[in-house]
Amino acid sequence: MPIAMKEEDAVKKSNSAMSLKKLVPKVLRSNSMKNLFKSKKPRAPAEIVRDVRRLLSYVDSDSDDGSPRRHDKLAQLDADIRELKSILYGIEESEPVAEACAQVTQEFFTDDTMRLLILCLPKINFETRKDATRIIANLQRQPVQSRLIASDYLEENLDLLDVMITGYEDHSVALHYGGMLRDCIRHQVVASYVLQSAHMKKFFDYIQLPNFDVASDAAATFKELMTRHKSTVADFLTENHSWFFSEFNSKLLESPNYMTRRHAVKLLGDILLDRSNSAVMVRYVSSKDNMRVLMNLLRETHKCIQIDAFHVFKLFVANQNKPTDIVNILCANRNKLLRFFDGFNCDKEDEMFDADKAQVVKEIRELVATSPVGCSGELFKPIIV
């Protein structure tokens, strides 16, 4: 190799070495390298909540333009919400610290962080929505100085329930809002508001949505509303008996969807057989139109619906003060009913079911019509085929 080329290579190597020597101190002085060797100081729980609120305010006010800045803010928000979830639920085998949970809860409700999180839910990343749902759920159960301050907060911010309920109309966030809503219904003041609101009628439509997951979630929320707070539900059903059961019968019990009918007839039994609803039950089983619906459900080919329908139908028969039209319909269908019950059995041995069926058969046999059977035409058209 020529001497000139060797000297040129030596100069290049020398310059490269000098550049590297100059570069290393600069890198070591940079913040990113310092952070590699510097332990990160843990933030106080309240500080994390304040940071979440700051980031949510940015997300709420900024246009969704896909800018790098917005992307960075959402990434920070993802990390903060994960950290809050870890505080509230613990990490792996370590239990959550009660004091830290109380600090998070107090700060969360102080400056409307919950409002911002609920309103911004459609704008945050999908995985973070799931964490946010779990945070909202946990906060409903967190005591602060022996008080569930979530209940007080929601009582003053009932409009947030409107946002969660109508969230069922957007399938991308419906399950997240539905999960939040069910946990908020733990508070009686929330359940009372929803029951008395105009939104209540919407549930009959939400339960029939074509998206199976959303419809099932709405049905779960509806069941929670109708079963958790006994006295509140009893008052609601007493005041709204006519329209509620008219909708319940036509949209749920007579729905063309098998799962809707199945869940509805089971829920109806739970409602009517609850001791708190005894007056509601007596009124329901005094209606011939209601009995027609249940008699038709007895004709179902699905045994589980038949069984649940029977547990409601038996209430019509057991009513000691049956209205005249109820008695006459039962008498008009006596033979068909007795033939039906003769072959109607549970798939497994059930002494209680057998005793109930025997009592129903006995009552039907002993009924005496108050007017000639079938004299009124369509009213006494046989229902059981």
Side-chain angles (χ1 to χ4, degrees):
M1 179 182 291
I3 295 174
M5 291 184 66
K6 287 184 178 180
E7 290 178 352
E8 185 178 344
D9 288 344
V11 170
K12 285 183 178 179
K13 288 180 180 178
S14 175
N15 290 338
S16 177
M18 290 295 292
S19 299
L20 184 61
K21 286 180 181 179
K22 291 179 181 179
L23 177 64
V24 169
K26 288 182 179 180
V27 171
L28 290 175
R29 286 197 301 270
S30 71
N31 289 332
S32 59
M33 287 301 293
K34 283 181 181 179
N35 290 337
L36 284 176
F37 302 102
K38 182 180 178 182
S39 60
K40 192 175 181 181
K41 183 180 178 182
R43 293 182 295 170
E47 185 183 347
I48 301 171
V49 177
R50 286 193 288 271
D51 198 42
V52 167
R53 184 164 58 245
R54 176 182 62 80
L55 292 167
L56 285 171
S57 295
Y58 172 84
V59 170
D60 186 41
S61 60
D62 188 56
S63 60
D64 188 0
D65 56 3
S67 65
R69 176 178 171 78
R70 180 181 178 83
H71 182 270
D72 290 343
K73 295 289 186 183
L74 285 173
Q76 293 175 40
L77 182 61
D78 295 347
D80 282 350
I81 288 181
R82 279 196 304 272
E83 196 167 352
L84 285 183
K85 187 185 73 170
S86 297
I87 293 172
L88 293 171
Y89 285 93
I91 303 175
E92 295 179 354
E93 295 182 359
S94 61
E95 292 293 320
V97 178
E99 183 180 351
C101 292
Q103 289 177 29
V104 168
T105 307
Q106 183 73 57
E107 186 66 31
F108 214 85
F109 293 115
T110 297
D111 289 319
D112 265 0
T113 304
M114 181 167 173
R115 172 178 291 278
L116 272 173
L117 186 54
I118 290 172
L119 294 178
C120 291
L121 196 71
K123 299 181 179 181
I124 64 180
N125 294 325
F126 179 79
E127 288 299 321
T128 305
R129 290 177 196 167
K130 294 193 288 188
D131 289 340
T133 302
R134 294 194 65 193
I135 288 171
I136 295 295
N138 189 289
L139 292 175
Q140 307 314 307
R141 304 187 292 273
Q142 287 290 346
V144 175
Q145 297 180 349
S146 302
R147 284 182 58 82
L148 289 177
I149 64 173
S151 178
D152 298 333
Y153 176 85
L154 287 170
E155 186 173 8
E156 296 174 2
N157 296 272
L158 290 169
D159 61 299
L160 292 179
L161 280 305
D162 303 337
V163 176
M164 287 183 260
I165 295 169
T166 55
Y168 278 120
E169 294 165 21
D170 180 354
H171 68 87
S172 67
V173 292
L175 301 184
H176 303 106
Y177 277 134
M180 290 180 179
L181 182 58
R182 281 191 297 282
D183 280 290
C184 291
I185 288 169
R186 295 170 62 90
H187 309 300
Q188 191 164 8
V189 65
V190 171
S192 180
Y193 170 77
V194 177
L195 286 168
Q196 298 296 340
S197 73
H199 296 303
M200 195 58 196
K201 290 186 178 181
K202 295 180 181 179
F203 277 99
F204 293 104
D205 297 321
Y206 294 156
I207 292 171
Q208 299 181 86
L209 287 170
N211 185 304
F212 176 79
D213 291 334
V214 175
S216 298
D217 195 273
T221 302
F222 184 71
K223 179 179 179 180
E224 185 75 3
L225 271 171
M226 301 310 304
T227 56
R228 177 171 279 274
H229 302 285
K230 309 295 186 182
S231 60
T232 301
V233 170
D235 290 342
F236 165 75
L237 291 175
T238 299
E239 296 170 8
N240 300 276
H241 191 282
S242 296
W243 77 259
F244 178 84
F245 284 111
S246 175
E247 294 281 288
F248 197 102
N249 289 351
S250 62
K251 292 188 176 179
L252 304 186
L253 294 180
E254 296 179 323
S255 168
N257 185 283
Y258 159 70
M259 292 303 296
T260 301
R261 297 195 307 279
R262 178 177 177 179
H263 290 150
V265 70
K266 178 69 169 63
L267 176 58
L268 179 63
D270 292 342
I271 292 172
L272 297 183
L273 291 168
D274 191 294
R275 189 173 300 177
S276 301
N277 296 325
S278 57
V280 173
M281 182 269 287
V282 170
R283 185 173 173 186
Y284 186 86
V285 301
S286 296
S287 164
K288 70 177 188 296
D289 293 328
N290 293 341
M291 190 174 73
R292 284 182 185 277
V293 175
L294 270 300
M295 291 175 77
N296 281 323
L297 287 172
L298 286 175
R299 302 167 58 186
E300 282 272 354
T301 57
H302 304 283
K303 179 56 72 73
C304 55
I305 291 182
Q306 286 184 313
I307 296 294
D308 287 330
F310 167 73
H311 287 304
V312 178
F313 174 74
K314 69 185 181 185
L315 301 175
F316 289 89
V317 179
N319 182 10
Q320 296 304 303
N321 297 304
K322 289 185 278 293
T324 299
D325 50 6
I326 294 281
V327 173
N328 288 336
I329 289 176
L330 291 172
C331 288
N333 290 271
R334 189 198 319 266
N335 293 335
K336 291 182 180 291
L337 283 167
L338 293 177
R339 284 200 301 272
F340 170 78
F341 284 121
D342 186 51
F344 182 53
N345 297 294
C346 274
D347 292 332
K348 57 184 179 180
E349 189 173 337
D350 186 333
E351 292 183 1
M352 182 66 73
F353 171 83
D354 292 338
D356 286 346
K357 189 182 79 166
Q359 184 62 35
V360 166
V361 168
K362 179 176 179 294
E363 291 278 352
I364 292 175
R365 286 187 190 281
E366 295 175 355
L367 282 175
V368 177
T370 58
S371 61
V373 174
C375 67
S376 300
E378 187 67 21
L379 179 63
F380 303 122
K381 181 179 178 180
I383 298 172
I384 301 298
V385 175

